[in-house]
Structures are given as C-alpha cells and as structure tokens.
Amino acid sequence: MSRILLSCGLLYFSTITSAYGQNEFKELRFQAEEDEKKSTYFLTGTIRDQDSGEPISGVSVHIDGFFTGVNSDNRGQYILRLDSGKHRIVFRKFGKAADYYIIEMYGNGVLDVLMSGVDFELDIFTVMAEERDRNVRSAITGLTKMNIAEIKLVPALMGEPDVFNVLQAMPGVTSVGEGSAGLNIRGGQADQNLIMMNEAVVLSNNHALGFLSSFNGDVLQNFSLYKGAVPSYFGGRSAAALNIEMRKGDFEDWKYGLSFGSAVSKFMVEGPLIPEKTSMIAGIRRSNLNWKLNSVDQFDVSNSSLRFHDIYLGLSHKFSEKHTLDLNVLNTGDFFQFSNQFGFEWNNFVTSLTSKNLLSDSFSLVGLLAYGSFNNGFFEPAEVDPFRVDNGLYYLQGKISGLWTKDKLDLTFGAEGMQYQMRPETLSPVGENSGVFPEQVNKQRGLEFAPFVSAEWNPHENFAFTAGVRYSTYIQLGPDTVFTYQQGLPVSSLTRTGEEVFGSGEMLRYGGFEPRASFRWSIDEANSIKGGYSKMYQYLQTISNATGPTPIDLWQLSTTYILPQISHNFSLGYFRNFKEDEWSTSLEGFYRTTENQLEYRDFADLFINPGLETELIQGQGRAYGAEVMIQKNRGGITGWLAYTYSRSFIRTLSEFQEIQVNRGDWFPTNFDRPHIVSLVANFHLGRSKSLNMNINYSTGRPVTAPTTNYVVGGIFIPDFGDRNQFRIPDYFRIDLSYMTNGIVRTWDDKFNFSIYNLLGRRNAYSVFFQREGMSRRLRPYQVSILGAVFPSITYSVNFSK
C-alpha cells in the first residue's frame, strides 16, 4: 500500500503541475565587509503607493511564510531583524498586490517597496508557508514549521483547521488511533511530548476524545515541532517539543469573524484598544454535535452527549518599539457521556504573561510567567452504585532567557522553573442511593528547575553548528507518606512493611546534565546534511490503564519508586531541493533509547490506589526508523507525500520473574506502527477556491489477545498470549474538503465543505473477544470509533470596521 500511494502521488504531481503559474520573486543581496560580518542583520525601508507615492501604513510583513508581527508605521516605514542567509519576504495589505522578494542577508540593507492596487476580478490564490529552503539551510535537524494558511488546507473532521490533524500527516507523527488523545512522535509515548502555547506549558490539548486539538485556528499563527534535536531552552519531556504561537491582535483596525457549521460554531474579534499601542484578540469556539448523535437510529448513541468549548484571549501592549508585554489566556472544556453507561469530563486553564525587551542592537531579554490548571474525571451513572472519580493538578511556570548576538555567533541563555501541585484523587458517590463509599488519595508536590545555555555558530555560509546544555533538577516536596516494602521481594501490597511520613521540605532529588547539539553542512545551495543529539530528563508522566492516552489519565510526578525517564535521541538526515525550491525532499533517520520508561503489570489497578508503585514496572525503551518527505511548495497544486518507517519497543527490567512482562524480552509498545503513509494535495482553483485531499494509511497497532481458553469447574477462562503479540487491521482513510467564496460579493465570506472518511471505512480502534452462547470458541469483534462517512459544512464571514 505504501509503495502504491508513493508512486501515485509522484506521478500525479509530476503530470499536472506544469499547467499553473507561479509568483515572481525579485532577488536582492546585501553584503557587508569581511570584518563586519555578523549572524544577524537589519533590513529597513519605506513602503509607498506606486501611483500616488504616499506612504502606506499597516502593511504586514511575512518572513519565510510567517507573519512576524511587524507592520509598517504611519510613515510607511518598517524595520526587520534577519538571520544571515537567504529569506523569502512578502509584503501584504488588503487592496494591494502582494510584493515578493528573495533576499540574501550578508549585511545590513535598505529595501523600499512600491505597492500597486489589485484588480479583484482576477482569480488569485497564493499560499506562502515557511521558507522553502529552510529544510536545507536550517541548523536544527528534525524541525517542522507550518503556518495557519497551510493548516487550513488539510481536510479535518468537522471542517476545522487543526494543528494535530496536520501533524499526523507529517512524517514521524501518528497516534494510537481515532478517538485517542495525544501524539506519538518518532515512536515515543504521548506524554513524552512537550506541548506549549507561546512557550507556556499546556497539559490538556484535545477536544472530542482526541479528534480535534484545543487550539482554535482563527487565533493561531503557526507552530514549530522539534522532533530531532530539541534546543536546550525547552525541557521536561523525553521525546519532542511542540510550540504553538498565537496571533496578536491588529493594532490599526477592528476585525470580526463569524463561523457557523454543522459541527462547530465560532466567533473572533481583534483590534486596537489603544491605536498603535495596545491590541486584543479573542476567539470562542463551541461544538454543535449533539443533534447528530440524537439523529442516529441506535439507542445508546442517540442517548449520548458530546460537547466542548475553548476560549482564547490575547492582549498585546507596546511600551515602545523595543519593549512589549503580552497576556495570553486559554480555557477549554469537554463533556462526553455514552448513554447511561459511562462518561468523561475535563477542563483546562492556562494563562501567561510575556515581556519582550530589546535592550541593545545585540542583546534582548524575554521573561515568562504562566499558571496552569487541569481537572478531569470519569463517572458511571449506573442504576446501581453510580460513582465519580476526579483528579488533576495545577502548576506555576517561570522562565527568563536572553539572546546575545555577536558577528557569527548567537548565544541564548537563561533559566526555567516549574512547580507542580497534584490535586487529591477522589472517589465520590453519585446520588443519595449510591452504595459507594467516598475515598481520597493524596498526591505529590514537586519543583523542577533548569538553567540552560545554547550557542549557534555560523563560521561559514556552508556550515552551521548549534550546541547547548541544560542542567535539570527535580525536588519532591513534602508533606507526603511513602510506603516501605520488604527487601529481597518484589514491591507489592503483600510485601508492604509500613510507611514513612515526611513533613514539609525536600524529600528527594533527581537531576543531571542534558547536552544538546545539531549541525548543518551545505554541500551547495540545494543540498545539505544535518545531524543532531539530545539528552532529556522527564519528571512528569501519565498513568493510564487504557490502550492509548485518554483525558482522564493520571499525571504522576517522580517519586522514590517511580524514577525519572532519561532519553538519548540521535538523528541524521539528507535534504535536497529542486527547481529553485519548488520541490523539497528529505530523508531522515532516528534512533532513541529511554531509561525508566513506565509499563504496567498484568491486571493493574491504577485508580484510587495510594500504592501506585505496586502496579507499575519500569524498563528500557527503544525506537528507531526513517522518514521520507516529498513536498511541492508552489504552483497551482501544492502538498506533500510523507512515508515513515518507525519501530518502538520496550522491555521491563526486574530481578523478580513474577512481575516481568513477556519474561523481560523486548516487545512492541501500544503505539508501534511500522509503516505510515500520508498524501496531502491542495488544488488551487482560483481566488479563494481550493480542493484539498488527505490520504492516510498505517499499519495496525499491537494488541494482546487470548490464544486459547480452559474450562475449570464449568467456568471458561481465557489464556492470553504475550503482551502486544498480535495486531489490529491496518488503517486507511481519505478526507476531502472544498473551500470557496461565499454568497455576498462585498463580504469576505467563505464556505467549507468537508467529508471525513470518504469511503466510510470502519477502521479498527481495538478488538475484543467474546464467547457465543455455550461455545468454547472466543470470537473476535472489532471496535470502531467513527466507522462512517462524516460530512460537514461551515460558513464563515470576516469583516472589519
């Protein structure tokens, strides 16, 4: 299947792209004297109207596909700080034709721009993503960037532009399956990924059981995924880092957006609270799904309920051109109940305050303060003994970082701290007639602190090197009670000998150095080789008895018995572009080892358990693979074809055979999916019209299944084989979407028609086995989360004042 999709995608792209025009880029080069060369330079200029010669204010500047937040002032002037090397720069303003430049910055430069009016009768559709030769010349391997323009072109469930949906179409990224929260990146667990909003940590980031992320595309700007060499200024996880940047509000004009859909409705507003000084942006999103569930001709489904919401608020204030202050607030919430059998409920709150200060031409300082709160629970509204289990945590984050630039060297340094307070896990009866007795298990407190330093050295145009180190320290704080166990025997409830009570203060300490390094060697302008290494510590992880991550997973800090995870990540890749960066290709290999990776003992009991260590066992993780990416960047058809070969294994380490999993041998993890193929194609049909396709194929994930069964005393007892010995059927899905203009010519309105799972394939999420009648044979049954065609329509309108 992977070979067929690869061949079809290449044939399709190569035969029809020649029919479409491309934008013309004006090329400029600024060169400094040999003794004045630096790693960063300034580009300045004035933007004027081509006909009148008057200065134009409010022109947005896009660098390498991302809007930098820089607008021309009321005199039409702008100033940019750019890294040494080649950049694609686009000047845009509504009612004006965009102006495109390819600029080689090897010295300070002045670029004055003349913009002309645009004829709206012409069919124009231009999408600028990240800088197209970034994959060749970036010094960091395994870095993926994308802006909201590209995100919107990938079809998704409910017609919503979604970060996580796009990520799963990129090489090296997948999930356990539909209806599963979290991402598995290069064979890693979902909790091994650091997810951030403007560098503030976000612990809960999913809606609708994992079908959508909690980041509204209307207020999102771009994302950066570090899946190879993670910079030293990001830490706390052992696999990857994802930073999602949110948009700033407009400083000049008020703008509004409304969206009504069969699944989701949204409202967005942005504008200047104080013109040119203070701006705001707010977005609200709410689900409209219950009418679809209620229309299903099946009692359990029609009697179910699913709803979610997210609210985002961003405030930005400019004290001056060199000093800014940003406030970001995100609140999300979900509720799901399946008939009268079970339900989940969770909510998340994150707020951050960021101060950015340019203290001199070569030194800047950024400070961050953030607070996060996450609460989740599950319940069973059964007729007999209904109950509810709740847990959660809150945390404080502080970070300060400085950037110093000097000639060919950029130096980043600072420190970051996180304080965690786990909320008690509680069991509560639901209703007066429930026979469930209330229980409570107190959880831990912890403090994580890490200074860091990172340097990027560019001694030559063809070579760049990035190196850094982070020293992380974790301290478990009291008060807490720690159970003791009999030495020479496995840790279990049967070998418990007593308990040790700790008061306030330090209980234990873990930590160590985390070196990071990455290099780029450019063979020529179109070819480069990159490699990297990262060592990372992880002190916070999730505990779950489900196959994949769920919203009700327990967050667990490191303790006396649960050691921190330590990973070693290696990557090496070859990158080549063709036809002046119209085509981008890459081949990357990776290898990672993880110490103290968590696994669960057989028949683990995880909830309302004060001795959680008796249900867990730690071991070694190992993941390796290769990724191929072929991307079409310009023209009437854009998109990419991605193939990933990825393996992920674990083995438990213990001297006691009775608690070993699979006798201590290596076995596949729950998210081991060797072959993954994604094809994304965007057909640009004219101004604001596009047809978009997304094809996904992957190997089925591992499961544990019975191999035989016995009859003892008239009772059938299944005998399970080795853990994750078998696999569910392979996964295959096709999505389509069509974006077009709306119905009012004078409005900026659009329609989005999307079809998720076009073929109506009943992809398996899991399998279970059940005996039919008095037969001794166990028959397998397949569980599908969304085994039908899911169409949706969305109408959106944007207007300004």
Side-chain angles (χ1 to χ4, degrees), residues 99 172 248-249 432 579 734 739:
D99 219 354
K248 292 185 178 182
E432 298 179 355
K579 298 183 66 175
I734 299 178
M739 300 172 62

Side-chain angles (χ1 to χ4, degrees), residues 464-480:
F465 181 73
T466 299
V469 65
R470 182 183 182 95
Y471 187 86
S472 65
T473 300
Y474 169 77
I475 302 172
Q476 185 182 350
L477 302 173
D480 195 15

Side-chain angles (χ1 to χ4, degrees), residues 408-426:
K408 301 175 182 179
L409 179 69
D410 290 343
L411 185 67
T412 302
F413 56 90
E416 182 176 20
M418 295 281 295
Q419 181 174 354
Y420 303 99
Q421 174 64 67
M422 319 304 289
R423 288 189 170 91
E425 186 183 4
T426 60

